[in-house]
Amino acid sequence: MSTSESSNYTPDIPSEPITRTTEEIHIELTPNALDSLSATRFVRSPSAGATVLFIGTTRDTFNDMPVSSLAYTSYTPLAMSTLYSIASSMLSKHQLTKIAIVHKLGECPIGEESIVIAVSAPHRQAAWRAGEEALEEAKKRVEIWKLEKFEGGEGVWRANRDGVMGVKADEGKDEKAATKVT
Amino acid sequence: MAPAKAPSGHFSILYFAAASTLTTKSNEHLPAPLEARHLFAKLEEKYPGIKEKVLSSCAVTVNLEYVDIDTEDAEQADLVIKEGDEVAIIPPVSSG
């Protein structure tokens, strides 16, 4: 079975940002470059003494293999609802003031932002913890997939889950590449 | 984004990441009704090898809800996929 067209895999991505925003929560999946400043502005509040911003950028290597490009695809309606549920649970668990989570879809050039998480809370401890936990939960659960294309053209679907194999996108059959949590 | 609505007597199935690589498509329509516990066997018939290579590490959603159909005594072993349902094969995720 040939699955070679997948080395040119172009994910089915929305052409406009998909957002869900309430007073305290902003969730966004977007084909556009991420705007960390606008996420920060969203969470900033006079009642919050601490704002924590996490910016995840795409790395140029995986296990020392040079990565030439990355693309994210998602099951958008489900990913939106999972992100929203993570955000609301962080909000109540850590008594945050506000939280914003924004993820890139489609091609993401090396070194550019793929995820932005901004949280605000009355005090810094809660903000630090919530920022970290929101990221870990997102990496574990949100229905988004990263295709890493290595120099030479080969693509690998990454898996964040520890011990799970990544599948070469242009083989999909017998060859598998080990992946591990970053 | 959303695939065309399933024709009558069919449900939609969406393939992501490794599942779309192996099937070489992002979605298709399959005949309904189908007992959910027979889904993987049905896909294996259509795409030999998919069960071991992809499905064994995948979750399944029906109409955006995760369902547990993989084992004989699974809670939703009796679930029937109906006409018009949207089923998705969810490989291990890799956001961030």
Side-chain angles (χ1 to χ4, degrees):
Chain A
M1 184 189 315
S2 166
T3 56
S4 58
E5 76 280 9
S6 291
S7 54
N8 299 315
Y9 180 82
T10 45
D12 205 3
I13 55 158
S15 54
E16 296 291 323
I18 312 285
T19 62
R20 183 167 171 192
T21 309
T22 66
E23 198 68 23
E24 291 116 9
I25 296 176
H26 176 75
I27 298 302
E28 181 172 341
L29 294 176
T30 177
N32 303 331
L34 304 194
D35 184 351
S36 54
L37 191 55
S38 98
T40 310
R41 283 203 192 98
F42 174 82
V43 300
R44 203 160 55 187
S45 158
S47 60
T51 294
V52 165
L53 172 67
F54 175 84
I55 301 176
T57 54
T58 49
R59 247 196 328 256
D60 63 358
T61 57
F62 176 71
N63 283 353
D64 295 331
M65 285 154 68
V67 172
S68 61
S69 71
L70 287 130
Y72 291 94
T73 184
S74 80
Y75 186 9
T76 308
L78 192 54
M80 285 297 290
S81 97
T82 302
L83 277 170
Y84 193 85
S85 113
I86 291 169
S88 14
S89 95
M90 291 302 103
L91 203 68
S92 57
K93 180 173 176 186
H94 297 282
Q95 297 182 318
L96 300 178
T97 309
K98 295 186 177 194
I99 178 167
I101 310 178
V102 184
H103 201 290
K104 181 92 167 77
L105 293 181
E107 288 290 325
C108 186
I110 299 298
E112 291 197 8
E113 288 91 340
S114 55
I115 185 167
V116 166
I117 297 179
V119 304
S120 62
H123 301 289
R124 66 184 180 282
Q125 292 89 343
W128 282 124
R129 282 192 210 108
E132 178 172 26
E133 193 175 337
L135 176 68
E136 297 308 318
E137 282 296 300
K139 290 190 75 127
K140 205 186 295 172
R141 289 173 50 199
V142 180
E143 291 83 0
I144 291 175
W145 296 273
K146 170 161 62 181
L147 180 65
E148 283 178 338
K149 292 171 193 166
F150 293 98
E151 280 173 15
E154 177 177 274
V156 172
W157 288 107
R158 286 289 306 280
N160 286 342
R161 206 167 69 192
D162 202 6
V164 171
M165 309 292 261
V167 177
K168 286 188 184 179
D170 55 355
E171 292 288 342
K173 290 204 76 171
D174 298 315
E175 292 179 71
K176 291 182 177 181
T179 63
K180 63 184 179 197
V181 173
T182 49
Chain B
M1 184 68 197
K5 209 172 154 46
S8 81
H10 289 72
F11 66 92
S12 303
I13 181 162
L14 312 183
Y15 303 111
F16 294 99
S20 89
T21 299
L22 202 138
T23 59
T24 74
K25 52 191 76 153
S26 61
N27 64 82
E28 66 184 319
H29 304 305
L30 297 177
L34 175 68
E35 287 179 70
R37 66 172 186 278
H38 296 150
L39 177 66
F40 283 7
K42 185 93 190 161
L43 293 173
E44 176 67 23
E45 212 174 274
K46 222 167 142 60
Y47 306 102
I50 193 173
K51 202 166 172 183
E52 189 207 326
K53 280 160 193 120
V54 177
L55 299 180
S56 56
S57 62
C58 287
V60 174
T61 62
V62 176
N63 300 329
L64 299 175
E65 300 278 350
Y66 283 92
V67 295
D68 178 14
I69 57 167
D70 207 10
T71 52
E72 283 299 311
D73 55 354
E75 208 174 296
Q76 284 148 302
D78 294 335
L79 183 80
V80 175
I81 299 167
K82 300 181 304 295
E83 170 180 322
D85 281 352
E86 180 176 283
V87 175
I89 303 297
I90 313 283
V93 299
S94 48
S95 70

